[in-house]
Amino acid sequence: MGVGQSYPGLTEDVLEDYTTLTYLNKGEILYLMKKFYSIDPVRMDADYHHRFEKNLILKKFDVLQNNPFQDRLFRVFSSKEDDCFSFEDLLDLCSAMSSECPIEVKAAWAFRVFDLDEDNQISSRDISEIVDRLTGAARRGHLLDDDSKNKIANVILEEINLVSSGGIGLNEFKIIMTRIPEFHSSFYFRL
Amino acid sequence: MSGGNASKSKVRSSKRQEGWEEAGGEFYQELYPGGEQELFENLQRADATKLATLLPSKQARNTTTVKRGRSQNERRQSTFARTTQSRDIHLSMLPDLSENLSNEERSWEEIMQIKAMPVPMSQKRELKARLQNATKLRLQGLEQLQWRQRKVWHRFRSRLGEVLAKLGLWHGSMRVIEGKFGTGVVSYFLFLRWLLFLNVAMSALTLCFLIAPNSLLYECFGNHNATAGCPDLGNSSGNVVLDFIQGTGWMEGSVLFYGMYSDQVLVYELPNFLGTMGYNMPLAYILVPITWALLSLVAVVTAGAKGFKERLVESEGQFYLYCNLVFGGWDFCVHNAKSAKIKHVALFNEIKGCLQEELYKEEKQSRTREGTLLLHLRRVLINAFVLLILVVSGVIIYLAFSFSTSSLYPFTGDLTTAGPNETYAEDLASAPSRSQIRNTLLGFLPYICIVVLNLFVPEVFGYLIGYEGYRPRHEILITLLRTVLLRLASFAVLLSQVYMQVRGVLGPEFLMTFLVNFPRSFLGRHSNGCLKIIGTQGFYLPKHVLDIVYIQTIIWMGAFFCPFLPIIGVVFYFLLFYMKKFNCLVNCTPSPVVYRASKSKSLFMSVLLVGFVISVAPVAYSVAEMPPSAGCGPFRGYAAVWQFAVATFEGLPPLVRELVFLLGTATFAVPAFAICLLLLYYYWAVATANRHMVAVLRSQLVLEGHDKQFLLNRLSAFIRQHQKRCERRNRAGDDDSIRQGSK
């Protein structure tokens, strides 16, 4: 196909599958494969579905560094939830983050990322912790006081449901995200 | 319980959602298979909040609707409901209930929809394999043709997308900038790239239809001294570089300027055709600018249209503000450690700012009457001062221009006859003499004035705005507005001066303006950097945007008189990208202000549109009214450029003329105008109705929420009662059995 190098396990059929099942095009998938393969060609030759550890992935794909939601990304997109990525996990991540991906799909993935305690809803505690992560509280201690954080959480939750115990469900989250223009451009990175 | 019944039926009807058909006629049904067992188990816990977690909207459930776009008559929908239990993701797929077997096309569409599911790749592949291997009906005849066409079109589109992506320019640079600054700043560079492509299109047009024919084809009436009548030729300063900058001498003889274009029908011989073919040069010279003007307009409007639409949808208010910050605040593309730290601080400031906005509003309420009066007085004073500054700048430019004209050409006020330059025309020394340099500088004086003013006055504006007590967001907007006014004023003065000029000389004027701006944008950024020796500055977006809009306005304005200008523009933008990128990455730190990338594109396009209108107006006026130069150019001999168009029009067949005249008569114009007004009113009415509908639906939603809460409470109360009764019965039963047993 004029690729220059063929990768074991990435046959034409598989590539075709990936193109149909993700929002990436062939060129981008091959580029990802090239980078992924170069982490450890020997292991990749032996096992196409080999799962690389977080550190190795971070070193190679620097776009994931310094991200306050890094651990969540690794947990959500890793199919075996073991903090490791196989090539297909990486494809899922890049497809969700590509600019072709529509808002609803991004919102569906983002819901799982932002649901920090994994109880299928974004509760007030989740929102407080998200705000902490955004303001870099991990490094500098809590910058915003609890009052402010609760206030923010209340404003958000009140608009959505009237019982403040509880949280945002998936469908509600999807609907909100379609009304927020910033979301599409921020939940995105270039390969 | 009647109230309960009424609300129950309302709940049921809302679940069916029959009355909620959207304008597109698309409605969906939610299917809730499975989970019955879990429901009964959880009902034992008669707690309203616990029950709430069982509601469908709280489940991590994905419903995807597939819309059939096949024909207007049939719109069959099929819905997938994939239930996902919290940890254990398993897929259950339910096809459309109306048919058990799906046909090829539907399963193809369903395969296309798989990528929208937030499940791991291995499951997606499993699902795809299952769908492909399932038995399906083959399509027949027309349907099969249509489906094949769809597949081919889809494949073509994806191939095209791939090719375009490969040709993407500056992909790597964008990535680096994104990593350091985030998507807000990158939107500026994307705008720059878009303008580059627009200019490439414009250059292609002028190159193909103006420059190439004029250089390659030859006039049939043999008058190669086309430039004899041009008054400015021979006004060379004898030095190549000076000539290049001023646009005199050898530059004038080139295809750069209007004066060099032929006014006749050029001929060329094609080998296979009999006889000669003609190429009407003057006609081309009119049609090409009209074409690229229309092209630019369409491009700007379509690029900005999406953003305009988003603006109209109301999404202001505390809720959206906070949601934007919490869920859309972090740019996932930022990966530089220092930028990440700065971004954290920026987000912290923004959140704090939002929380304080409410305090500001309260403070505004509580401001005393005296305080308000004082503030308004201050604002009026400062606005008057700003106006004064603008007027003074205009006067300075006017003075500079008249000084430069009078000292360069002291004998006549007209730039057409040369003054002291003539005495040095014979001086062919290779090094420019001092007086020649002085003359060049004098020629550039007005432009240098403009540049200097544009550098310093905005700083003054920025200083003044601090005293006016506006909100930070408004501060930026108002400063921007004032800067725009300053540039407009200076440009207007410049134009009015050049107004008297002969057409042949106008080209060089624009070239000079252009060239002066080239080092200016380079100097401007770095002189600012020199002034602040310690520390770096932020990448102040609005100023940079104004820069390139200004440049583009000049290009549009000058491209009629100097067809080479778009090509120079292309080169300029190309170099500008690298300069700005260098400046951005090396000199600037990520700004502590959070930039909204989403609104950027529409904002840039609106400013560009304003620039376009400003640039087209004077050109249109000069085309219609001003007499072109008698000796050179494609329109020599006509009273106005537009006269030529009229004359050509007379030459068209009578049918076409009749048609066009018909368009101008009242019998056509008035009904057309009325219809346009009606359409406008219709769209405005639809927009108002939709807005009203949004308000109604919002209040209905609130009511539904109340109903839901009420029902949950009743349900939990009922379950508790039921449980108590069961316990009592069990206890009574035990007592009975104990009593019976003891008997």
Side-chain angles (χ1 to χ4, degrees), chain B residues 257-415:
Chain B
F257 300 125
Y258 166 102
M260 285 350 299
Y261 286 85
S262 157
D263 69 335
Q264 295 161 4
V265 177
L266 307 174
V267 296
Y268 54 96
E269 302 257 355
L270 282 181
N272 291 335
F273 282 88
L274 304 162
T276 57
M277 308 270 283
Y279 187 87
N280 193 342
M281 195 66 215
L283 187 63
Y285 204 88
I286 282 205
L287 286 182
V288 168
I290 295 182
T291 319
W292 57 244
L294 279 176
L295 177 79
S296 312
L297 185 65
V298 166
V300 171
V301 169
T302 44
K306 210 177 81 161
F308 296 151
K309 244 192 289 177
E310 273 175 23
R311 289 268 192 92
L312 293 176
V313 174
E314 284 161 66
S315 49
E316 292 298 325
Q318 283 284 315
F319 168 68
Y320 287 107
L321 213 59
Y322 285 129
C323 271
N324 241 337
L325 274 176
V326 172
F327 300 119
W330 184 264
D331 275 336
F332 276 71
C333 52
V334 170
H335 56 263
N336 185 317
K338 204 168 87 160
S339 310
K341 251 185 253 172
I342 296 180
K343 191 99 186 159
H344 284 305
V345 173
L347 279 169
F348 172 70
N349 288 333
E350 181 95 7
I351 294 180
K352 260 239 143 39
C354 283
L355 288 168
Q356 273 169 359
E357 281 250 337
E358 300 183 32
L359 293 175
Y360 175 84
K361 271 191 217 148
E362 285 168 34
E363 188 235 341
K364 204 167 146 188
Q365 306 283 4
S366 69
R367 217 184 281 158
T368 63
R369 263 193 81 200
E370 247 184 32
T372 337
L373 211 62
L374 218 64
L375 187 69
H376 281 296
L377 196 67
R378 243 188 298 161
R379 283 184 187 170
V380 165
L381 268 177
I382 293 187
N383 276 317
F385 189 53
V386 164
L387 207 64
L388 189 68
I389 292 181
L390 286 175
V391 166
V392 164
S393 323
V395 166
I396 291 178
I397 298 171
Y398 176 76
L399 285 177
F401 205 91
S402 37
F403 176 70
S404 119
T405 343
S406 61
S407 54
L408 272 183
Y409 308 105
F411 306 123
T412 64
D414 194 356
L415 274 176

Side-chain angles (χ1 to χ4, degrees), chain B residues 507-566:
Chain B
E509 298 288 330
F510 278 110
L511 187 65
M512 283 179 16
T513 325
F514 200 79
L515 284 173
V516 171
N517 276 297
F518 183 89
R520 177 192 82 92
S521 29
F522 187 74
L523 276 175
R525 300 290 86 76
H526 283 254
S527 68
N528 276 343
C530 294
L531 289 172
K532 308 187 181 184
I533 302 171
I534 304 170
T536 54
Q537 45 171 344
F539 192 78
Y540 186 47
L541 212 56
K543 231 194 308 190
H544 291 264
V545 172
L546 268 185
D547 270 350
I548 55 180
V549 169
Y550 190 57
I551 299 287
Q552 186 61 38
T553 312
I554 296 179
I555 293 180
W556 271 325
M557 219 184 285
F560 182 77
F561 303 108
C562 172
F564 225 75
L565 209 53

Side-chain angles (χ1 to χ4, degrees), chain B residues 600-648:
Chain B
S600 303
K601 188 145 195 220
S602 70
L603 185 71
F604 298 160
M605 290 303 157
S606 348
V607 181
L608 197 61
L609 197 63
V610 170
F612 178 78
V613 169
I614 292 176
S615 67
V616 162
V619 175
Y621 177 73
S622 71
V623 160
E625 299 293 324
M626 315 269 292
S629 91
C632 55
F635 303 110
R636 55 195 104 150
Y638 287 101
V641 176
W642 194 245
Q643 286 296 333
F644 169 78
V646 173
T648 323

Side-chain angles (χ1 to χ4, degrees), chain A residues 127-171:
Chain A
I127 295 179
S128 294
E129 204 188 315
I130 292 175
V131 170
D132 271 339
R133 283 183 188 221
L134 286 177
T135 55
R139 266 178 261 209
R140 296 163 56 175
H142 291 268
L143 294 178
L144 276 178
D145 56 326
D146 285 336
D147 254 353
S148 320
K149 283 188 283 185
N150 286 336
K151 188 149 173 271
I152 298 177
N154 282 341
V155 167
I156 295 182
L157 289 175
E158 261 165 27
E159 179 89 7
I160 299 177
N161 58 16
L162 302 171
V163 182
S164 48
S165 67
I168 312 175
L170 172 65
N171 289 330

Side-chain angles (χ1 to χ4, degrees), chain A residues 17 66 134 163 179-180 182, chain B residues 128 314 324 335 344 709:
Chain A
D17 255 3
N66 291 311
L134 286 177
V163 182
R179 298 292 304 278
I180 295 184
E182 270 307 300
Chain B
K128 176 170 188 249
E314 284 161 66
N324 241 337
H335 56 263
H344 284 305
Q709 201 47 45

Side-chain angles (χ1 to χ4, degrees), chain B residues 184-212:
Chain B
V185 168
V186 162
S187 62
Y188 166 77
F189 287 95
L190 287 171
F191 179 56
L192 187 61
R193 189 174 71 171
W194 185 87
L195 272 179
L196 178 78
F197 288 147
L198 182 69
N199 276 294
V200 166
M202 276 167 59
S203 327
L205 266 177
T206 52
L207 203 65
C208 290
F209 294 107
L210 283 185
I211 300 180

